[in-house]
Amino acid sequence: MAKRAEPVTSLQATGGVLALLVVLCILGPLIAVILRAEGLSDLRAADWAAIRFTLLQAALSAVVSCLAAIPVARALARRRFPGRSAFIALLGAPFILPVIVAVMGLLAIFGRSGWINSALEGIGAGTIEIYGLLGVVLAHVFLNLPLATRLLLQGWLSIPSERIRLARSLNFQRRHMQRHFEWPLLAATLPGALLVIFLICTTSFAVALILGGGPAATTVELAIYQAFRFDFDLGRAAYLGLVQVTICVAAGLLAWRFAKAAQFGGGLDRPAMRWPDDTPASRRFDLAVLTAAGAFLLLPLLAVVAEGIGAVFGLPLSTWEAALRSIALALASTALAVGLALPMALLIAGHAVRAGLEGVGLLSIAVSPLVVGTGLFIIVFPIADPVTLSLPITGLVNALVALPFLLRALIPAAAAAEATQGRLADALGMRGSARLRHAILPRLRRPLGFGAGLAAAFSMGDLGVIALFSAPGQETLPLEMYRLFGSYRTDDAQGAAVVLMALSLGLFWLFDRGGRVNAAA
């Protein structure tokens, strides 16, 4: 039977207009960058070194993150223990944690005066150097190990309990489970996870800014910042931006090509069974893996709190002003992101143009935020002072960065609401705001709250575009924290890190909690 034609509501029409504006906001700056870029011969030796380092650190970070995630995901899929849900929730903390706070936590553990080096010096052993390639990879593994684990865990959880029951009845040994279950699972999920994390690491800015070890450890993003901020060489910054876009688009296309789900057939959703090769040795190994992963993820966060909590109430007034500025910017950016995402999600969920419009939302992942910021500067510079517009431009770019995550949270729920409550609303003749308020929005509260929380946390912790435009008196809290750290006011920087972490996690919790209170199941 042919699918019935559905009228385009005013809100969905607005979604189409907003999708066009999103395209213009991303492709417009990109076109400005392309037009400003000059020939390949203008790339310096340092630029080629930055390109090589970007590819190297992203590849190493992706490989180490995914290899470390394999035993963690395997242990979580095979074990049921008290606190398992809380442990899995902990895996999401680094994803919403401001990058600069994560770096401060790693420095507290692995830095020159960190816990590990202090212990090594106490026993007369040598120290480790975190700056350079090692530090950049370590920080990226800390930030992306949870994501890799969640991606691989979904593959393990996709194996129906009935398949495990059949394997037990056939007396499968470990090698049989690996051959028939684990290797096919990893072959399906691992390439996509590797490429997604590679893409994320190519656009990393704050990590390279703090932990990069000079010219030998400079990423393309950092080179764009240096060409823009220190040399004011817009042509070079533009060409490096074009190089960065090429890298990101290539990685994004590969990620889309290889990302797929493992196919093990359907099941009856019964509780998972113990695997045939479950032995006391395997249980001890899984316990050790989960303990090591938990310590690696939790200790840096505890170190931030332990070393900075005492300095919070002695922070200078400028830090609290920067915190208020960041809160206002995060709220404005979140409102803009939600205002863009909701009409687009309703349009995508209700019509056949879904694939194309979802691609619009993914543009902001393929195009680096720093490249968008550079393009906006090039556009604005001839007609106005970009410095005076630094906060609005930062808010716009932060909203575009959060847009794909909001869409991925909203689209499935919007499609389900249209398929059920939408038909009832049609039968009752509900249109416009009444239909949206009574039939659709109650079913979107949970994903809307979650997506808004992500947008607020991302904006709160952003240290990217604001670093290009900022002037005295316009610093956000991450930038103020970075400047305190750079001027060797370590105690104040650690106190600011505690405030930033609390505000980011607090905003996420408030929005996410607000979406769940009295929400329809």
Side-chain angles (χ1 to χ4, degrees):
M1 180 180 293
K3 192 173 182 179
R4 65 187 180 91
E6 298 181 5
V8 178
T9 66
S10 59
L11 190 61
Q12 289 174 332
T14 302
V17 174
L18 292 177
L20 178 60
L21 290 177
V22 169
V23 172
L24 293 176
C25 287
I26 296 174
L27 295 186
L30 179 59
I31 292 171
V33 166
I34 293 173
L35 294 177
R36 189 60 186 255
E38 298 174 2
L40 185 63
S41 60
D42 290 334
L43 285 178
R44 308 170 186 174
D47 299 331
W48 287 110
I51 294 171
R52 289 192 295 270
F53 182 79
T54 298
L55 298 175
L56 175 63
Q57 62 83 19
L60 288 176
S61 299
V63 169
V64 174
S65 296
C66 289
L67 289 181
I70 291 173
V72 179
R74 186 175 187 267
L76 285 172
R78 290 156 54 95
R79 305 298 166 200
R80 298 296 182 271
F81 52 89
R84 179 177 178 273
S85 297
F87 185 88
I88 294 177
L90 170 66
L91 293 177
F95 187 67
I96 61 175
L97 191 70
V99 174
I100 191 171
V101 174
V103 172
M104 289 289 290
L106 291 172
L107 286 173
I109 302 294
F110 301 98
R112 290 169 182 167
S113 57
W115 296 358
I116 290 181
N117 276 334
S118 297
L120 292 175
E121 289 177 352
I123 61 175
T127 59
I128 58 175
E129 178 59 60
I130 194 175
Y131 293 95
L133 179 62
L134 174 62
V136 171
V137 172
L138 180 66
H140 284 157
V141 171
F142 174 78
L143 293 167
N144 292 299
L145 173 61
L147 175 61
T149 300
R150 295 297 290 268
L151 292 174
L152 298 181
L153 178 59
Q154 293 306 311
W156 254 285
L157 295 179
S158 70
I159 302 176
S161 177
E162 289 78 12
R163 300 297 184 273
I164 307 300
R165 184 188 302 273
L166 178 61
R168 290 177 64 88
S169 68
L170 295 174
N171 294 320
F172 271 28
Q173 302 301 314
R174 181 177 181 181
R175 66 181 185 275
H176 301 126
M177 296 300 294
Q178 290 176 342
R179 177 182 177 185
H180 296 286
F181 290 96
E182 295 184 331
W183 295 132
L185 180 153
L186 291 175
T189 58
L190 196 57
L194 280 166
L195 288 165
V196 166
I197 295 174
F198 177 87
L199 175 61
I200 292 172
C201 294
T202 58
T203 59
S204 174
F205 172 69
V207 169
L209 182 65
I210 301 172
L211 296 177
T218 297
T219 62
V220 175
E221 292 263 304
L222 188 54
I224 294 171
Y225 170 75
Q226 291 167 346
F228 185 98
R229 189 75 178 179
F230 300 126
D231 302 332
F232 200 67
D233 187 346
L234 293 181
R236 179 166 167 253
Y239 193 80
L240 287 170
L242 187 57
V243 170
Q244 178 74 341
V245 168
T246 302
I247 294 172
C248 292
V249 169
L253 290 175
L254 287 173
W256 176 80
R257 168 65 178 82
F258 286 101
K260 59 181 180 178
Q263 299 296 327
F264 290 100
L268 300 177
D269 296 327
R270 290 172 174 160
M273 294 185 61
R274 285 198 314 167
W275 281 45
D277 61 335
D278 190 15
T279 63
S282 68
R283 290 193 289 271
R284 288 193 295 269
F285 177 78
D286 288 347
L287 176 62
V289 166
L290 294 177
T291 301
F296 178 63
L297 296 175
L298 187 59
L299 284 179
L301 306 185
L302 294 177
V304 169
V305 175
E307 300 198 0
I309 191 67
V312 169
F313 297 104
L315 290 173
L317 179 61
S318 61
T319 302
W320 295 110
E321 291 174 344
L324 291 175
R325 203 173 292 118
S326 287
I327 293 173
L329 181 64
L331 294 177
S333 177
T334 301
L336 178 58
V338 170
L340 292 171
L342 182 57
M344 288 178 62
L346 293 176
L347 177 62
I348 294 170
H351 292 83
V353 292
R354 177 167 183 163
L357 285 177
E358 282 192 88
V360 170
L362 295 175
L363 275 176
S364 57
I365 293 180
V367 181
S368 161
L370 214 60
V371 174
V372 175
T374 302
L376 289 174
F377 185 95
I378 293 171
I379 293 172
V380 172
F381 183 69
I383 57 177
D385 182 6
V387 173
T388 63
L389 300 174
S390 60
L391 292 178
I393 289 175
T394 300
L396 171 62
V397 175
N398 287 344
L400 294 175
V401 168
L403 182 60
F405 299 96
L406 269 162
L407 288 177
R408 292 312 307 154
L410 287 173
I411 289 171
E418 284 291 346
T420 55
Q421 306 302 318
R423 292 181 180 274
L424 178 60
D426 289 341
L428 296 175
M430 296 177 64
R431 296 289 185 270
S433 60
R435 174 192 176 94
L436 178 66
R437 184 171 65 254
H438 296 295
I440 305 301
L441 276 184
R443 276 77 195 170
L444 300 185
R445 284 189 59 179
R446 287 178 183 268
L448 193 59
F450 175 75
L454 285 181
F458 290 164
S459 181
M460 194 72 205
D462 175 67
L463 180 61
V465 177
I466 189 64
L468 292 177
F469 298 100
S470 67
Q474 294 185 326
E475 297 90 347
T476 59
L477 186 54
L479 185 58
E480 174 72 7
M481 177 182 162
Y482 172 70
R483 289 181 174 174
L484 290 171
F485 185 75
S487 59
Y488 299 101
R489 297 169 62 181
T490 306
D491 291 342
D492 287 341
Q494 291 171 340
V498 173
V499 174
L500 180 57
M501 180 170 67
L503 290 175
S504 298
L505 297 179
L507 282 175
F508 173 80
W509 181 84
L510 284 174
F511 280 105
D512 185 43
R513 176 64 177 170
R516 287 184 283 115
V517 171
N518 297 325

